Amino acid sequence: MEQLQSKHRQQQKDLQAQITQKKKSATKKTRKGVNDECAELERQLKCKQELEIVDLQGRLNPKDVTDIQDSSSQPAIEQPDDKVVEHQIQEMSIKSVPVKDQQAQKPNRQKARLARRAAEQEHMVAQAAKEAQGLPDLRQQEIDAMRTLFSSRGLQEHEIRSDGHCLYAAVADQLTDQNRGLMPKESLSGVIGLTEPSSAPYKVTRSVTASYIEDHANDFLPFLEEPLNDYVGKIRDTGEWGGHLELMALAKAYDVDINVVQSSGQIEKIESGTEKSKSTLWLSYYHHNFGLGEHYNSLRQAS
């Protein structure tokens, strides 16, 4: 009988160790299920041990049974305190929670900042759109002013592609429209052997501009902010925009006057510098009407 009692005590110790481990490993989500499982294990062990004692009593004499009853009154195995187990479970709960669950429980500050920033940007865009409604349409005002100027001078606008070559293409269109050709009045070093059919018209006027500035460097050097070779290289080989200096070079190279009409009503006149010049080229100059900003078109005589 003592062997059976020793066996039962060892089984109870093993079961309590198993129960303690299960409860420590339980999460908040699984704790209730673990508690139910532990209670069921304890019930099963208790029933099993009682059946074993009854079976053994049936095979012993009354004196042995009395001894068993006396021995059964011995103190039971100390059970773990529920509060102690609960405290241990709370300490283990943080460790048992997966990293992903911990991260999911933390507020995502970066997403919150991005959301606030997006909301602020949307507000600024909406505010700017609201303010823009009260501003004048500069593009339409420029178009209307230009049309009035063209009509008053008997001019008709010929659209030039909006790119970095527009000034040179507009001048080439004017020269061709007035049957003057694209070759300059004097021989220039950079355009020797250049024939009109071999290149796009704007490439010819670009080459003429660059060559004239090279051959008459003293007239242009005071106005340059970079080495002469770099400056004329951009004119000849790139899509660099042209301006007042390039118009001066073109006027002198082709011996023509160039009038540039602006929406303000002002007409900028670039003269060839010779009294014998009889031809005048007309260009329109825009500030707001085209996607790239400043733009030149050719102005032909209205038919």
Side-chain angles (χ1 to χ4, degrees):
M1 188 64 182
E2 291 180 1
Q3 292 180 354
L4 180 62
Q5 290 174 344
S6 176
K7 174 184 175 184
H8 286 180
R9 285 194 295 269
Q10 186 61 44
Q11 289 176 345
Q12 290 172 358
K13 286 182 181 180
D14 293 343
L15 178 61
Q16 291 306 322
Q18 183 181 358
I19 289 174
T20 301
Q21 184 61 36
K22 283 181 176 291
K23 289 185 176 181
K24 286 183 178 181
S25 301
T27 65
K28 291 182 179 181
K29 294 181 179 180
T30 63
R31 186 173 301 168
K32 185 179 182 302
V34 169
N35 289 338
D36 293 342
E37 181 184 356
C38 293
E40 178 62 21
L41 290 174
E42 289 177 332
R43 187 191 66 80
Q44 291 178 3
L45 179 61
K46 182 178 179 181
C47 292
K48 177 175 178 286
Q49 290 180 349
E50 288 178 350
L51 289 175
E52 289 178 350
I53 291 173
V54 170
D55 180 63
L56 182 61
Q57 286 176 346
R59 292 185 279 114
L60 295 177
N61 57 43
K63 184 179 182 300
D64 294 332
V65 173
T66 302
D67 293 339
I68 294 171
Q69 289 175 349
D70 292 340
S71 64
S72 63
S73 63
Q74 294 178 2
I77 297 173
E78 183 180 355
Q79 302 292 327
D81 190 349
D82 289 342
K83 292 184 178 180
V84 175
V85 174
E86 181 69 21
H87 177 69
Q88 293 175 339
I89 291 171
Q90 290 177 355
E91 291 181 343
M92 295 294 294
S93 61
I94 296 176
K95 298 180 181 179
S96 63
V97 176
V99 177
K100 292 185 178 179
D101 291 343
Q102 294 183 32
Q103 294 177 349
Q105 293 170 4
K106 295 181 180 179
N108 194 318
R109 297 181 180 178
Q110 183 178 4
K111 287 185 178 180
R113 284 196 299 269
L114 292 175
R116 285 196 301 270
R117 189 178 303 171
E120 291 172 358
Q121 290 177 347
E122 289 179 3
H123 176 73
M124 292 174 62
V125 170
Q127 188 68 21
K130 184 177 180 180
E131 294 175 358
Q133 291 177 355
L135 297 177
D137 187 346
L138 298 179
R139 180 176 181 275
Q140 190 58 47
Q141 287 183 359
E142 188 173 51
I143 292 174
D144 295 341
M146 285 293 204
R147 288 176 178 173
T148 301
L149 291 171
F150 300 159
S151 178
S152 65
R153 294 184 176 275
L155 299 172
Q156 182 176 357
E157 190 170 42
H158 175 70
E159 289 280 349
I160 299 297
R161 182 178 177 180
S162 178
D163 55 22
H165 307 299
C166 60
L167 182 148
Y168 304 99
V171 169
D173 179 77
Q174 283 286 290
L175 293 170
T176 302
D177 184 63
Q178 297 185 24
N179 296 317
R180 291 187 60 88
L182 299 182
M183 299 308 294
K185 67 170 186 175
E186 62 179 89
S187 297
L188 300 174
S189 57
V191 293
I192 295 176
L194 181 66
T195 57
E196 295 179 23
S198 65
S199 302
Y202 75 81
K203 290 185 178 180
V204 178
T205 49
R206 271 190 176 278
S207 179
V208 169
T209 303
S211 297
Y212 187 88
I213 293 175
E214 279 181 322
D215 291 357
H216 302 81
N218 291 335
D219 296 337
F220 296 92
L221 281 175
F223 306 101
L224 302 184
E225 298 180 354
E226 59 184 308
L228 178 66
N229 291 338
D230 294 344
Y231 190 83
V232 297
K234 290 179 180 179
I235 296 174
R236 182 179 285 114
D237 302 322
T238 74
E240 188 82 6
W241 292 1
H244 188 77
L245 286 181
E246 289 71 32
L247 286 171
M248 287 176 56
L250 286 164
K252 293 180 180 297
Y254 288 106
D255 191 23
V256 294
D257 296 337
I258 302 176
N259 290 343
V260 182
V261 180
Q262 302 187 38
S263 60
S264 62
Q266 177 185 355
I267 297 178
E268 183 182 4
K269 295 185 178 182
I270 295 94
E271 298 180 346
S272 65
T274 62
E275 296 181 357
K276 63 180 182 179
S277 177
K278 297 182 180 179
S279 297
T280 300
L281 310 184
W282 287 83
L283 307 179
S284 59
Y285 174 71
Y286 289 91
H287 289 276
H288 309 289
N289 198 29
F290 292 84
L292 294 178
E294 300 175 355
H295 179 70
Y296 290 90
N297 275 336
S298 172
L299 296 177
R300 301 175 180 177
Q301 292 297 320
S303 56

